């Protein structure tokens, strides 16, 4: 009795930790910022107002969007709960954003997922929120915690059926319920938590039926079959991915019949009883979709967004495609919040210990041809649910980019049981190591689910404080754009675009609440006007909407531009250009005024340079042995004849072997016996790649079109080249054929 009492207290503690984690995330997750939460709430209010399903044909314009085709169970239960407690009604779901004072943030997806403070909000404020609607949605979120508790209880029951150990059942319950992604799904109104609850409940009842059949005869009552059918139907009626447990439930009866626990007649009878609620509930919804829209499972409103295929006609993903998405699937199964909020990368490395340790445990079993506790039959049932869920996930991977692995949560019990089973087996072989790994896994999961998730969500939706980055916070405007001024900025110390990201720090000062919501864009534009990289965002990286500005408020932020090496032209200069635009119309209609009063359309904050290639082109060159202190002349090519009034094309190919802080200019002379003509003097590559950014290994190809003087005496000429410091005219040392070049001029024959 004492052990039972202790187990109850531990189970209550696990439930309490789950509730604390979910409430913590609810407290810091703004309303409708959960994945598609606005659509889930609109669906609920549509049902409250009409008690009819949304029109799928108008999903592009109606308030429920692509969720129009979702099965209705979650929304029916939410609507009944709202009516039961008399929550305020949203008469027109299309008014949701207006009532909450929100509008869509078109730049909510960050360029880099690992920058935890970067534009993750789906919406931003444009007006005060209606407290009645805000309060109603906040209360409906509690329903998700209720579904989570149902799933936790079912997970404990299923684990006890598998392991016949209270300690391991509690461990499974904790790992299942404190998984950060699972906790997050209980923090907002959605159907993922509902399908997880009913799927887990169904699998528990299936495992229970298997155990009872092994000790009783017949061991599987018609009531059990009916209850399992109801739960499986509810899982599918919550989300179509719940159909995985319908197959698992049917397989349970097949296993019992194959093991001789059910006669064929009983097998048929139980199957009919189990199928009746599935057909009556889920089947009716499938038939409705088929007859009304020709879309029995409601996939078309999702697939139509992305390509011309339907869910079933898409080709299976190639193995390479699946492998490429594995890191995303791993992160999103264990810990991702919303569309793009992640924990620290180290946490995912720690999470990786659990599946690796579990794999060690299972490999030991396979080598000995032993059976895991819980039996092969239970593994078949759980495995069937997992395989069907995986099949659905792979299908969606073909349709949606970076699909989240929370679609596997109808089989969350199966996956958790596999992890715990492997640790259980490892503990039997290596008691000390196994227990340490089990404790470590639980500690990482509990900390991340209860504390880490709330901290990550809070960080993603917290306004950046003034001076939060090491930027030149000042109150003197450098450029003024209507109601906001740019007081300073920083660019990377290295002007070369060598990496994957280019960070620009910006410091702003609010002048007043703007009459129109501004956004800003930072672009890398070459000297011909081609855009190589850009980033557009609302202020505060999405969180500091103009409505909340106070006169004189100052804040700084760092915006990161993603660099694509294929989009960069080698050895090319790019201006860093800042522009403000209207967040609603996207028109760049916020001109800048400089401190001297000059009006500038788009200020240039600085310049960056795409690196030169490290190999010369294959075009034939005249070889030469010559060098300057920071580079060697690989060769040259002269096109055209040196004649009075002609134009010649000179191409020089340099290989840098060191850096120089000086931006040398290059000179080109036409040298005769009696007179020298200065043909050109300018930075190399038309100032597109100054010598101060050359680095060892750079191959810089520099072409010049040179006009030959019309009054050119008839004699033999040589072209002479070299570099000089434009500040004082001092020529850079030059060496040719191993000897110092006269007058520091390299002569081309």
């Amino acid at each position: 009795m004492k052990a039972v009492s202790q187990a109850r207290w531990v189970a209550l503690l696990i439930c309490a930790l789950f509730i604390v984690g979910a409430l913590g995330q609810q407290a810091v997750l703004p309303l409708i910022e959960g994945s598609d939460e606005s659509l889930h709430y609109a669906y609920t209010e549509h049902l409250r107002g009409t008690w009819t399903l949304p029109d799928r044909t108008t999903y592009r314009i109606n308030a429920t969007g692509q969720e129009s085709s979702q099965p209705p169970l979650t929304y029916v239960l939410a609507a009944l709960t709202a009516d039961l407690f008399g929550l305020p009604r949203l008469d027109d779901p299309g008014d949701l954003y207006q009532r909450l004072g929100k509008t869509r943030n078109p730049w909510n997806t960050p360029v880099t997922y690992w920058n935890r403070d970067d534009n993750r909000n789906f919406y931003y404020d444009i007006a005060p929120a209606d407290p009645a609607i805000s309060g109603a949605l906040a209360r409906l979120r509690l329903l998700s915690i209720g579904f989570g508790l149902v799933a936790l209880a079912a997970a404990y029951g299923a684990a006890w059926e598998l392991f016949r150990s209270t300690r391991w059942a509690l461990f499974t319950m904790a790992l299942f319920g404190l998984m950060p992604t699972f906790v997050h799904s209980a923090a907002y109104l959605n159907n993922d938590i509902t399908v997880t609850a009913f799927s887990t409940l169904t699998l528990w009842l299936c495992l229970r039926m298997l155990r009872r059949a092994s000790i009783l005869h017949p061991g599987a009552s018609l009531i059990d079959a009916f209850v399992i059918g109801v739960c499986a139907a509810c899982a599918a009626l919550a989300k179509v991915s719940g159909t995985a447990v319908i197959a698992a439930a049917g397989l349970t009866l097949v296993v019992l019949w194959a093991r001789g626990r059910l006669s064929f007649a009983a097998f048929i009878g139980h199957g009919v009883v189990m199928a009746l609620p599935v057909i009556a509930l889920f089947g009716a919804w499938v038939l409705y979709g088929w007859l009304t829209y020709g879309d029995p499972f409601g996939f078309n409103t999702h697939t139509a967004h992305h390509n011309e295929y339907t869910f079933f006609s898409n080709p299976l993903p190639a193995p390479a495609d699946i492998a490429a998405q594995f890191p995303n699937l791993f992160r999103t199964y264990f810990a991702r919040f919303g569309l793009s909020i992640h924990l620290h990368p180290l946490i995912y490395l720690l999470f990786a210990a659990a599946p690796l340790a579990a794999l060690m445990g299972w490999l030991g079993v396979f080598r000995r041809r032993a059976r895991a506790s819980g039996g092969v039959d239970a593994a078949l049932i759980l495995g069937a649910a997992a395989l069907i869920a995986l099949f659905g996930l792979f299908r969606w991977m073909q349709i949606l980019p970076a699909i989240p692995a929370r679609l596997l949560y109808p089989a969350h019990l199966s996956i958790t049981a596999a992890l715990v089973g492997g640790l259980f087996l490892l503990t039997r072989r290596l008691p000390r190591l196994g227990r340490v790994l089990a404790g470590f896994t639980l500690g990482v999961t509990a900390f991340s689910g209860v504390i880490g998730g709330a901290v990550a969500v809070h960080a993603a939706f917290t306004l950046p404080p003034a001076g939060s980055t090491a930027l030149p916070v000042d109150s003197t405007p450098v450029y003024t754009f209507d109601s906001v001024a740019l007081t300073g900025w920083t660019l990377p110390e290295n002007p070369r675009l060598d990496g994957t990201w280019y960070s620009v720090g910006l410091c702003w000062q609010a002048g007043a609440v703007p009459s129109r919501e501004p956004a800003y864009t930072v672009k890398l534009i070459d000297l011909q006007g081609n855009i190589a990289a850009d980033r557009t965002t609302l202020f505060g990286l999405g969180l500091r909407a103009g409505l909340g500005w106070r006169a004189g408020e100052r804040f700084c932020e760092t915006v990161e531009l993603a660099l694509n090496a294929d989009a960069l032209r080698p050895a090319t200069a790019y201006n860093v250009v800042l522009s403000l635009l209207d967040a609603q119309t996207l028109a760049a209609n916020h001109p800048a005024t400089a401190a001297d009063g000059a009006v500038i359309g788009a200020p240039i904050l600085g310049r960056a340079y795409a690196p030169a290639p490290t190999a010369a082109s294959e075009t034939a060159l005249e070889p030469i042995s010559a060098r300057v202190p920071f580079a060697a002349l690989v060769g040259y090519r002269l096109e055209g004849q040196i004649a009075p009034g002609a134009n010649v094309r000179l191409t020089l190919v340099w290989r840098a072997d060191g850096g120089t802080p000086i931006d040398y200019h290059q000179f080109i002379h036409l040298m005769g016996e009696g007179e020298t003509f200065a043909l050109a003097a300018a930075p190399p590559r038309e100032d597109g790649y100054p010598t101060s950014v050359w680095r060892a290994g750079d191959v810089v190809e520099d072409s010049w079109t040179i006009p030959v003087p019309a009054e050119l005496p008839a004699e033999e000429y040589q072209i002479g080249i070299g570099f000089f410091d434009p500040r004082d005219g001092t020529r850079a040392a030059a060496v040719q054929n191993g000897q110092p070049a006269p007058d520091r001029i390299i002569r081309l024959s």
Side-chain angles (χ1 to χ4, degrees):
M1 289 295 295
K2 183 178 180 181
V4 173
S5 178
Q6 289 178 341
R8 288 175 179 171
W9 281 110
V10 173
L12 288 175
L13 175 62
I14 294 170
C15 291
L17 289 173
F18 164 75
I19 292 172
V20 168
L23 288 176
Q25 290 200 40
Q26 283 189 8
V28 297
L29 180 67
L31 294 176
I32 68 174
E33 287 293 350
S35 297
D36 289 337
E37 187 176 26
S38 61
L39 306 181
H40 296 309
Y41 183 50
Y43 198 143
T44 299
E45 290 301 307
H46 172 83
L47 283 181
R48 292 183 72 190
T50 66
W51 287 108
T52 61
L53 296 177
D55 180 9
R56 299 183 195 177
T57 62
T58 61
Y59 78 95
R60 293 186 184 275
I61 59 174
N62 70 33
T64 55
Q66 70 267 19
E67 305 300 323
S68 298
S69 62
Q70 288 281 11
L73 180 63
T74 301
Y75 316 111
V76 169
L77 295 176
L80 291 173
T81 301
D83 285 346
L84 177 65
F85 290 98
L87 299 182
R89 191 183 291 270
L90 184 63
D91 295 326
D92 182 358
D95 290 339
L96 173 62
Y97 304 125
Q98 180 181 351
R99 295 285 295 275
L100 289 177
K102 302 280 188 179
T103 192
R104 191 73 164 85
N105 173 12
W107 305 287
N108 69 288
T109 306
V111 175
T112 167
Y113 289 138
W114 300 115
N115 181 349
R116 296 176 62 190
D117 305 312
D118 192 356
N119 212 75
R120 300 177 190 278
N121 52 308
F122 287 94
Y123 304 93
Y124 62 91
D125 297 327
I126 57 172
D130 182 335
I133 298 302
S134 298
L137 179 53
R139 287 166 176 79
L140 282 177
R141 282 181 164 187
L142 298 176
L143 190 63
S144 295
I145 294 181
F147 287 127
L149 291 172
V150 170
L152 272 173
Y156 174 83
W160 192 85
E161 298 290 344
L162 287 171
F163 301 108
R164 312 302 293 167
S165 163
T166 300
R167 181 164 61 91
W168 283 97
L170 289 170
F171 179 77
T172 305
M173 178 186 182
L175 201 63
F176 176 100
L178 301 181
M179 196 73 72
T181 296
F182 178 76
V183 174
H184 180 71
S185 68
Y188 65 99
L189 181 64
N190 66 92
N191 58 356
D192 287 302
I193 189 67
T194 316
V195 69
T196 305
F198 283 106
S199 296
T200 308
L201 192 59
T202 303
L203 293 174
W204 168 43
L205 295 175
C206 290
L207 296 177
R208 178 173 172 268
M209 179 183 282
L210 282 177
R211 177 184 60 83
R212 292 183 64 190
S214 67
I215 59 177
L216 299 173
H217 187 77
S221 70
L222 292 175
I223 294 177
D224 290 339
F226 181 77
V227 172
I228 290 175
V230 170
C231 292
C234 288
L237 205 56
K239 197 167 185 176
V240 173
S241 54
T243 53
V245 296
I246 294 179
L251 182 59
T252 303
L253 295 180
V254 173
V255 168
L256 291 177
W257 171 57
R259 299 289 189 233
R261 302 298 179 181
L262 285 177
S263 65
F264 183 73
F267 167 69
I268 297 298
H270 283 70
V272 170
V273 170
M274 185 181 289
L276 283 175
V278 174
I279 294 171
L281 296 174
F282 181 62
W285 179 80
V286 170
L287 184 63
Y288 163 79
W290 183 25
L291 296 178
T292 309
Y293 303 103
D295 182 19
F297 296 102
F299 293 144
N300 290 349
T301 60
H302 289 78
T303 59
H305 277 299
H306 301 278
N307 59 33
E308 60 189 273
Y309 299 108
T310 66
F311 181 83
F312 291 103
S313 69
N314 271 21
L316 281 172
D321 296 332
I322 296 174
Q325 292 203 46
F326 181 78
N328 173 68
L329 297 179
F330 179 83
R331 293 193 307 269
T332 57
Y333 181 80
F334 283 99
R336 191 181 80 173
F337 316 102
L339 182 66
S340 57
I341 303 171
H342 289 79
L343 296 176
H344 191 279
L346 176 61
I347 298 296
Y348 298 98
L349 293 177
L350 299 179
F351 268 122
L356 290 175
L359 181 62
M360 290 173 58
W362 285 111
L363 288 176
V365 169
F366 295 145
R367 284 200 301 266
R368 292 170 175 78
R369 296 183 179 179
R371 291 189 176 188
S373 178
V376 173
D377 293 344
L380 285 173
I381 304 306
L382 296 177
L387 286 174
I388 295 172
L390 279 169
F391 171 78
L393 177 66
F394 290 160
R395 279 307 209 183
W396 285 118
M397 285 165 57
Q398 281 293 109
I399 301 169
L400 304 174
I403 193 74
R406 60 183 168 83
L407 295 186
L408 290 176
Y409 265 70
H412 185 37
L413 175 65
S414 302
I415 297 170
T416 306
L419 288 174
V420 175
L423 293 174
F424 176 82
L425 294 167
L426 186 64
T427 299
R428 294 176 62 182
R429 290 171 49 213
L430 306 169
R432 293 183 180 178
L433 177 61
R435 289 175 182 175
V436 169
L437 283 172
F440 173 81
T441 300
L442 183 57
V444 171
T445 303
F447 175 81
S448 302
V450 178
I451 299 174
V455 171
V457 173
H458 179 265
F461 293 102
T462 300
L463 293 178
S468 62
T469 52
L471 299 174
V473 181
D474 195 358
S475 60
T476 303
V478 180
Y479 295 105
T480 301
F481 308 82
D482 295 342
S483 56
V484 64
L486 180 69
T487 61
W489 64 87
T490 59
L491 302 178
E493 292 184 6
N494 179 12
R496 289 165 56 97
L497 300 171
D498 286 320
T500 308
W501 306 99
Y502 185 77
S503 299
V504 179
L506 302 168
C507 281
W508 307 99
Q509 177 173 305
V513 176
S515 57
R516 49 187 176 151
E517 186 64 40
Y520 68 85
T521 182
V522 181
K523 301 181 186 296
L524 293 178
I525 306 177
D526 69 16
L527 304 185
Q528 287 73 46
N530 301 305
I531 298 174
D534 68 278
R535 180 69 197 283
T536 304
T537 179
L538 295 162
F539 282 86
L541 296 176
L543 293 168
R544 195 177 291 271
L547 179 70
W549 290 359
R550 296 185 299 273
E553 180 181 11
R554 299 195 300 272
F555 61 96
C556 299
E557 55 192 344
T558 299
V559 61
E560 294 184 322
L561 283 70
L563 299 178
N564 180 356
D566 294 335
L568 296 173
R569 298 171 56 201
T572 299
Y574 289 91
N575 288 326
V576 184
V577 181
L578 173 69
S579 178
L580 263 67
L581 58 150
D582 190 303
Q584 294 293 314
T585 66
L586 307 186
N589 52 10
H590 288 69
T593 302
D596 60 3
V599 177
I600 302 170
I604 296 175
L605 306 183
R607 184 169 284 189
Y609 302 90
T614 56
S617 64
E618 297 181 358
T619 306
L621 299 172
E622 291 290 335
I624 189 172
S625 175
R627 61 176 303 104
V628 292
F630 51 87
L633 185 59
V634 174
Y636 68 94
R637 182 172 60 254
L638 184 64
E639 302 170 73
Q641 296 295 321
I642 298 177
N647 287 327
V648 295
R649 180 81 171 170
L650 175 63
T651 299
L652 305 169
V653 179
W654 300 90
R655 183 181 297 277
D657 53 15
T660 174
I662 302 173
D663 281 329
Y664 282 104
H665 285 200
Q666 188 168 297
F667 63 84
I668 301 176
H669 291 173
L670 189 60
M671 305 171 63
E673 293 183 1
E675 191 173 359
T676 297
F677 297 89
L679 301 183
R685 290 187 62 83
E686 299 179 350
D687 203 21
Y689 201 63
T691 57
S692 62
V693 299
W694 293 17
R695 297 293 183 269
D698 283 0
V699 175
V700 182
E701 186 172 312
D702 191 17
S703 294
W704 300 76
T705 299
I706 307 169
V708 178
E711 304 296 331
L712 186 68
E715 58 177 280
E716 293 293 327
Y717 290 94
Q718 276 187 314
I719 292 179
I721 64 169
F723 288 92
F724 68 94
D725 188 337
R727 296 171 298 181
D728 57 13
T730 302
R731 290 179 180 175
V735 175
Q736 186 166 5
N737 297 324
Q739 300 295 323
D743 299 323
R744 299 188 170 184
I745 298 175
I746 298 171
R747 289 164 170 79
L748 309 182
S749 57

